[in-house]
Amino acid sequence: MTAITPLQPQRLRHACDPGQFTFQTTADLPDLTEIIGQARAMDAVRFGADIRREGYNLFVLGPPGMGRHGLVQQFLDSKASKEAEPPDWCYLNNFIQPHKPKVLKLPPGQGETLRAHMARLVDYLRSAIPVQFESEEYRSRINAIQQEYSERQEREIAELEAEAEKKEIILLRTPEGFALAPSRNREAIPPDEYDKLPQERKDRIETDVAGLQAHLEKILARLPQRRRERSERIKQLNYDIMLSSVTHMLNELREIYAGLPAVLDFFDAVQQDMVLHVDDFRKPDESVNISGMTVVTHQTFNNYQVNVLSSNHQKPGAPIVYEDNPTYSNLVGRVEHISQFGALVTHFTLIKPGALHQANGGYLLLDIRKVLMQPFAWEGLKRALQARKIHIESLGQIYSLVSTVSLEPEPVPLDVKVILFGDRLFYYLLQQYDPEFSELFKVAADFEENIGRTAESHFL
């Protein structure tokens, strides 16, 4: 039998020779900026973060408690602060197809500025337009148009009366309209006297009345056309007044955004729509009777608003977003609905951004376990990364679970670096059973569980 040698007490610990150190206390040493013994993992993180190509997203794997989140966050804070700020992404109303809002890309910070400019434009027009349509000048021009058509009608009626008078026939104005009757001394002949007239005279009167009646019918037939012409001239007047006001205000904005063609196109569409809906500005409030109750509705002029999805100009550099609750809608965004008169309605201003929008142009940090636990979140994330676009669709709309009218927003181009954190088990399971995983997450940063004790590590 082999004898058991007793373990000496000095072997229960690994002694460190103090003579190898050149400092008196650790206060003389600089603070550590990295976790000890994770140089290989950090090299992988740097490699993956520096490559801005499709598929080079990162999977940071290793057991919990190794400081993965903190170390990666610290590295990204330093790196992202030196990168360019991403553009602002907004949604605008599509005046031709309202259910398909348009996406707008703007320089950093311009989204909030454009939204404020459009809000001030609408507020100004809501107060200025009613004043113009209540002015004396406007009333005078309306009266002139109406008087012109009234005088034309009266002139034609007067000509008919003069023609009838020559034939001893009078034109009578009745509550039902006009009537023609034989006359004597400019007064209608009573029926009993008319019966005593010679037949030859009666025949001549009937012939003259028939001719004048035909002439009267032509005049009356032109009345609807005249009314339409008068209405069109009044509409044109309203159009010109509204166009002048809107153009004046929008020209100021066009000078500010002269270098952004997409914004100028938006201003053109806004101008055309505002002019067509001049009555909304003239009478912004209207009453609706619902079940015996009068409800005053207010025009919100939502069509001219700017829905800013993402704007990161308040913090320099690229954004870094950590989504703690990565549900499908929290990742790709959603379209909300509001109840209006008992029905669910939506609008492009109710489009809400997801974590992908907020991290667009920067970095998105996710816990893979939390992503896999949320229905459809993993598939939604992969689809966005593969297409490099963010499609906002509700699950009910995708699977036809609801019949509520919804929107089809134009997809937002996506440029984001996704960094997943998780145990090695998730990494190898996804690599084995999800063929798309290796195409999207080509870089793995493996944090070591054991750190070798060497002479170099004594100084860390």
Side-chain angles (χ1 to χ4, degrees):
M1 293 181 61
T2 303
I4 299 176
T5 305
L7 185 64
Q8 299 299 321
Q10 59 270 22
R11 297 183 62 187
L12 295 176
R13 65 185 179 89
H14 195 293
C16 183
D17 183 11
Q20 63 181 317
F21 301 125
T22 59
F23 55 87
Q24 293 298 323
T25 67
T26 55
D28 300 332
L29 298 177
D31 294 335
L32 288 174
T33 58
E34 295 185 359
I35 296 178
I36 299 173
Q38 301 295 349
R40 181 172 174 270
M42 287 309 302
D43 288 342
V45 172
R46 293 189 187 92
F47 171 77
D50 288 339
I51 298 180
R52 305 298 297 189
R53 295 181 60 184
E54 182 179 358
Y56 282 86
N57 299 290
L58 287 88
F59 193 109
V60 179
L61 59 150
M66 298 300 297
R68 297 169 302 170
H69 279 271
L71 186 57
V72 173
Q73 182 75 45
Q74 183 181 8
F75 166 76
L76 292 179
D77 287 339
S78 176
K79 177 178 173 57
S81 62
K82 303 172 185 176
E83 296 180 355
E85 297 180 14
D88 290 356
W89 292 100
C90 311
Y91 271 117
L92 305 175
N93 181 45
N94 187 336
F95 294 95
I96 299 177
Q97 294 179 300
H99 68 289
K100 294 184 177 181
K102 293 183 177 181
V103 69
L104 174 66
K105 178 183 178 181
L106 292 174
Q110 290 295 309
E112 298 289 348
T113 304
L114 178 60
R115 175 164 61 183
H117 279 149
M118 292 305 300
R120 285 198 293 268
L121 170 66
V122 171
D123 289 342
Y124 169 78
L125 293 176
R126 290 185 66 180
S127 59
I129 296 303
V131 172
Q132 294 194 33
F133 284 97
E134 294 173 1
S135 63
E136 288 296 330
E137 179 185 359
Y138 175 75
R139 293 175 182 174
S140 298
R141 296 176 69 177
I142 290 295
N143 290 335
I145 294 175
Q146 293 177 339
Q147 184 176 357
E148 176 185 343
Y149 283 91
S150 297
E151 289 178 352
R152 183 186 302 181
Q153 179 179 339
E154 289 299 326
R155 185 168 56 252
E156 292 179 348
I157 295 298
E159 293 175 355
L160 179 63
E161 288 180 328
E163 181 183 355
E165 185 178 354
K166 293 178 183 179
K167 299 179 180 181
E168 295 185 342
I169 296 174
I170 188 172
L171 179 65
L172 302 176
R173 299 173 185 263
T174 67
E176 292 78 16
F178 295 93
L180 294 167
S183 66
R184 181 185 300 123
N185 299 325
R186 297 184 178 180
E187 292 185 0
I189 299 176
D192 54 346
E193 294 186 14
Y194 178 77
D195 293 338
K196 297 178 181 179
L197 294 176
Q199 187 62 39
E200 181 181 354
R201 175 73 186 280
K202 290 181 181 180
D203 293 341
R204 181 164 53 84
I205 291 175
E206 290 179 0
T207 302
D208 292 340
V209 167
L212 294 172
Q213 183 67 35
H215 189 179
L216 176 61
E217 289 176 356
K218 290 181 180 180
I219 295 176
L220 298 179
R222 287 195 290 266
L223 289 181
Q225 177 64 26
R226 298 273 173 80
R227 293 192 186 100
R228 287 193 295 270
E229 292 177 0
R230 180 179 61 186
S231 177
E232 289 299 325
R233 288 189 58 182
I234 293 175
K235 287 183 179 179
Q236 185 62 42
L237 174 61
N238 297 342
Y239 179 94
D240 294 340
I241 293 175
M242 186 68 179
L243 180 61
S244 176
S245 300
V246 173
T247 303
H248 173 71
M249 294 299 299
L250 283 177
N251 282 344
E252 297 180 2
L253 296 180
R254 288 186 174 101
E255 294 180 3
I256 298 175
Y257 298 93
L260 300 173
V263 179
L264 299 180
D265 293 340
F266 173 61
F267 288 157
D268 293 340
V270 167
Q271 176 175 304
Q272 183 178 2
D273 190 79
M274 283 183 170
V275 171
L276 293 176
H277 296 86
V278 58
D279 290 339
D280 292 345
F281 289 88
R282 293 181 61 186
K283 301 174 183 178
D285 300 338
E286 57 184 18
S287 299
V288 179
N289 190 290
I290 301 177
S291 301
M293 295 188 302
T294 301
V295 178
V296 179
T297 61
H298 303 274
Q299 293 286 352
T300 58
F301 302 98
N302 284 336
N303 289 345
Y304 314 121
Q305 294 184 19
V306 177
N307 184 3
V308 182
L309 283 189
S310 60
S311 182
N312 302 285
H313 66 284
Q314 296 181 355
K315 183 178 180 182
I320 303 173
V321 177
Y322 173 70
E323 179 55 57
D324 184 58
N325 184 28
T327 63
Y328 176 83
S329 59
N330 284 352
L331 286 177
V332 302
R334 63 191 182 278
V335 178
E336 295 183 344
H337 292 73
I338 59 175
S339 178
Q340 191 174 84
F341 303 122
L344 291 178
V345 297
T346 188
H347 193 261
F348 81 96
T349 57
L350 296 176
I351 300 175
K352 304 301 179 182
L356 287 170
H357 295 96
Q358 297 167 348
N360 203 1
Y363 304 89
L364 176 60
L365 282 59
L366 299 170
D367 189 320
I368 186 59
R369 179 177 175 274
K370 295 179 179 180
V371 174
L372 295 176
M373 288 180 64
Q374 298 294 338
F376 308 102
W378 176 242
E379 293 300 323
L381 176 64
K382 289 194 300 180
R383 188 177 72 154
L385 293 176
Q386 288 171 332
R388 305 191 72 177
K389 295 179 181 179
I390 311 174
H391 293 263
I392 300 181
E393 291 181 289
S394 66
L395 294 176
Q397 182 181 2
I398 294 175
Y399 295 98
S400 302
L401 300 177
V402 294
S403 59
T404 304
V405 176
S406 190
L407 302 177
E408 299 176 18
E410 184 180 358
V412 176
L414 179 63
D415 178 20
V416 68
K417 181 74 66 175
V418 177
I419 302 176
L420 297 178
F421 295 86
D423 295 340
R424 292 189 179 90
L425 174 64
F426 291 109
Y427 176 80
Y428 291 113
L429 284 175
L430 289 171
Q431 195 174 48
Q432 179 68 27
Y433 295 106
D434 191 339
E436 299 171 338
F437 174 74
S438 58
E439 297 178 1
L440 297 175
F441 294 87
K442 297 180 179 180
V443 181
D446 192 353
F447 276 66
E448 297 290 345
E449 300 179 44
N450 302 314
I451 301 175
R453 184 165 187 172
T454 62
E456 292 78 8
S457 66
H458 289 171
F459 293 92
L460 298 176

